[in-house]
């Protein structure tokens, strides 16, 4: 059996950068491409961050594609102030890393998702860690891919706890609730890795100090970038002892589903006030035989953190 193929769909801020590193450090999968999204920053700036990060991590072949610049119900996108506080103005904690000279791919990210679904079918894993706009447009353009794609493991939503941008909404879902609802209502086999579990996987300066000791260009850059993120969490007074590893946890679960305990639930996203952006069970599909989504509600925190540190430290020591 060949290795599974992974596509990351990112709004490349700080935890998205950690998701790229985790995917590159994982020999179980082939990262075949990155699609850009808006969210933590503008889509084009995120695409440039992805190219720069791949370059920093010694990877010069994985293509990066343009995705949508805004939600399916809007004509433009303005980065939220809270995103800039958490990820910095450049999405990477205002730390400068060398600019990649590689251009982004000419094919659109949405066509890349569709073509990859036809080519790799059940071997394809899609990991969106930003808004679900690109994936919703891909299934609208070619609904057949819903039953071709092996699995979608997304970072987004909150089932058992409140949201992080409103009382009920998590940031990625909140950027485009309509798109997210279309994805959850589709036939796609989804694992939802939401705040229920990602807020239980925290990194502290104890770990970034270990990266500093590696003393390579990538370890120093990632230590600086993640320290900005840890400071931002402290300033926000989140009551968390460290920063949340939202996006790398989704990649880790895509590779090893046994890291989380899940509940099978057909989900929906509310699109109207006062609950816009809420991820919750779809009452109209309560009695259908099979749930298309499983929601992660518990995580093996220690096992994930030690795997995360081993993988990233190994990657950083080579670059
Ligand atoms: O709510 C956390 C999510 O929002 C993460 O994916 C983060 O990168 C932002 O996109
Ligand atoms: Ca993200």
């Amino acid at each position: 059996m060949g290795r599974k193929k992974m596509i990351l769909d990112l709004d490349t801020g700080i935890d998205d950068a950690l998701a790229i590193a985790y995917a590159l450090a994982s020999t179980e999968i082939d990262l075949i491409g990155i699609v850009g999204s808006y969210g933590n920053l503008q889509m084009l700036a995120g695409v440039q961050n992805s190219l720069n990060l791949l370059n920093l991590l010694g990877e010069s072949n994985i293509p990066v594609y343009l995705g949508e610049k805004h939600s399916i119900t809007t004509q433009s996108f303005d980065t939220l102030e809270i995103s800039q506080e958490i990820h910095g103005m450049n999405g990477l904690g205002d730390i400068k890393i060398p600019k990649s000279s590689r251009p982004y791919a000419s094919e659109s990210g949405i066509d890349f998702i569709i073509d990859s679904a036809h080519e790799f079918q059940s071997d394809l894993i899609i990991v969106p860690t930003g808004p679900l706009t690109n994936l919703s447009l891909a299934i609208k353009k070619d609904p057949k891919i819903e039953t071709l794609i092996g699995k979608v493991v997304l970072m987004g939503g909150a089932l058992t706890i409140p949201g992080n941008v409103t009382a009920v909404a998590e940031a990625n879902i909140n950027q485009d609730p309509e798109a997210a609802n279309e994805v959850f209502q589709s036939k796609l086999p989804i694992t939802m890795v939401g705040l229920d579990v990602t807020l239980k996987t925290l990194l502290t300066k104890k770990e970034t100090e270990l990266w500093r000791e590696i003393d390579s260009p990538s370890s120093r850059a990632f230590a600086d970038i993640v320290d900005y993120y840890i400071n931002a969490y402290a300033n926000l007074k989140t009551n968390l002892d460290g920063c949340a590893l939202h996006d790398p946890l989704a990649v880790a679960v895509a590779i090893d589903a046994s890291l989380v305990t899940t509940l099978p639930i057909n989900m929906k996203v509310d699109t109207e006030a006062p609950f816009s952006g809420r991820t919750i069970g779809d009452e109209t599909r309560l009695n259908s035989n099979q749930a298309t989504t499983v929601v992660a509600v518990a995580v093996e925190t220690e096992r994930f953190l030690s795997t995360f540190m081993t993988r990233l430290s190994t990657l950083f020591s080579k670059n």
Side-chain angles (χ1 to χ4, degrees):
M1 201 181 67
R3 294 199 294 182
K4 298 278 184 199
K5 312 292 177 194
M6 182 179 286
I7 296 176
L8 295 175
D9 183 351
L10 312 174
D11 57 334
T12 310
I14 297 178
D15 56 329
D16 304 80
L18 294 170
I20 293 178
Y22 197 102
L24 289 179
S26 299
T27 52
E28 300 92 333
I29 52 107
D30 277 334
L31 179 60
I32 60 166
I34 296 176
V35 180
S37 188
Y38 64 94
N40 291 323
L41 70 179
Q42 299 291 327
M43 186 276 294
L44 273 173
V47 162
Q48 190 61 50
N49 280 352
S50 294
L51 286 163
N52 298 348
L53 288 161
L54 289 172
N55 179 49
L56 178 71
L57 295 170
E59 176 50 63
S60 54
N61 291 316
I62 294 170
V64 181
Y65 299 84
L66 300 187
E68 283 297 295
K69 290 185 172 146
H70 51 76
S71 79
I72 58 173
T73 56
T74 56
Q75 294 305 314
S76 63
F77 169 71
D78 290 321
T79 312
L80 293 175
E81 214 170 287
I82 179 77
S83 307
Q84 290 169 342
E85 275 169 40
I86 296 177
H87 297 272
M89 297 301 283
N90 75 348
L92 297 177
D94 296 331
I95 304 301
K96 284 205 173 70
I97 60 173
K99 188 164 189 251
S100 163
S101 56
R102 210 152 58 89
Y104 53 75
S106 53
E107 186 185 10
S108 86
I110 286 152
D111 288 340
F112 171 64
I113 291 174
I114 293 171
D115 292 346
S116 302
H118 285 277
E119 184 175 353
F120 300 113
Q121 305 196 11
S122 61
D123 280 336
L124 181 66
I125 307 172
I126 300 188
V127 183
T129 68
L132 292 167
T133 315
N134 293 327
L135 191 53
S136 82
L137 291 170
I139 58 176
K140 210 172 288 169
K141 187 165 178 183
D142 185 353
K144 192 161 186 296
I145 66 170
E146 289 178 22
T147 52
L148 292 178
I149 292 169
K151 62 180 172 181
V152 173
V153 182
L154 63 91
M155 191 284 133
L159 181 68
T160 61
I161 57 168
N164 59 357
V165 284
T166 75
V168 293
E170 179 279 330
N172 289 336
I173 303 295
N174 190 58
Q175 298 286 12
D176 196 345
E178 284 79 7
N181 191 39
E182 284 170 16
V183 168
F184 278 112
Q185 302 266 345
S186 73
K187 297 194 190 91
L188 286 166
I190 298 171
T191 302
M192 178 177 127
V193 178
L195 301 178
D196 313 87
V197 284
T198 64
L199 291 178
K200 293 176 185 157
T201 57
L202 304 174
L203 207 70
T204 68
K205 289 194 180 172
K206 207 174 89 203
E207 283 82 31
T208 57
E209 203 42 51
L210 295 174
W211 293 347
R212 268 181 218 293
E213 284 168 19
I214 296 172
D215 202 23
S216 71
S218 65
S219 78
R220 287 192 299 267
F222 269 86
D224 289 345
I225 291 168
V226 175
D227 278 355
Y228 179 100
Y229 188 50
I230 293 169
N231 291 340
Y233 265 72
N235 293 337
L236 287 170
K237 305 208 179 357
T238 55
N239 295 323
L240 298 171
D241 185 18
C243 64
L245 295 174
H246 304 291
D247 297 350
L249 181 62
V251 175
V253 171
I255 293 167
D256 179 0
S258 74
L259 282 168
V260 289
T261 307
T262 59
L263 294 176
I265 304 176
N266 281 312
M267 297 290 288
K268 70 171 186 182
V269 179
D270 287 316
T271 56
E272 306 279 339
F275 299 125
S276 181
R278 177 174 70 165
T279 42
I280 195 163
D282 178 359
E283 71 280 13
T284 67
R285 293 185 292 154
L286 207 53
N287 292 308
S288 70
N289 285 339
Q290 222 174 348
T292 54
T293 297
V294 296
V295 180
V297 290
V299 55
E300 287 189 34
T301 302
E302 293 310 320
R303 185 156 70 90
F304 166 65
L305 283 179
S306 84
T307 312
F308 173 88
M309 283 306 286
T310 306
R311 291 188 182 203
L312 268 65
S313 302
T314 306
L315 180 69
F316 294 158
S317 51
K318 293 185 200 146
N319 297 283

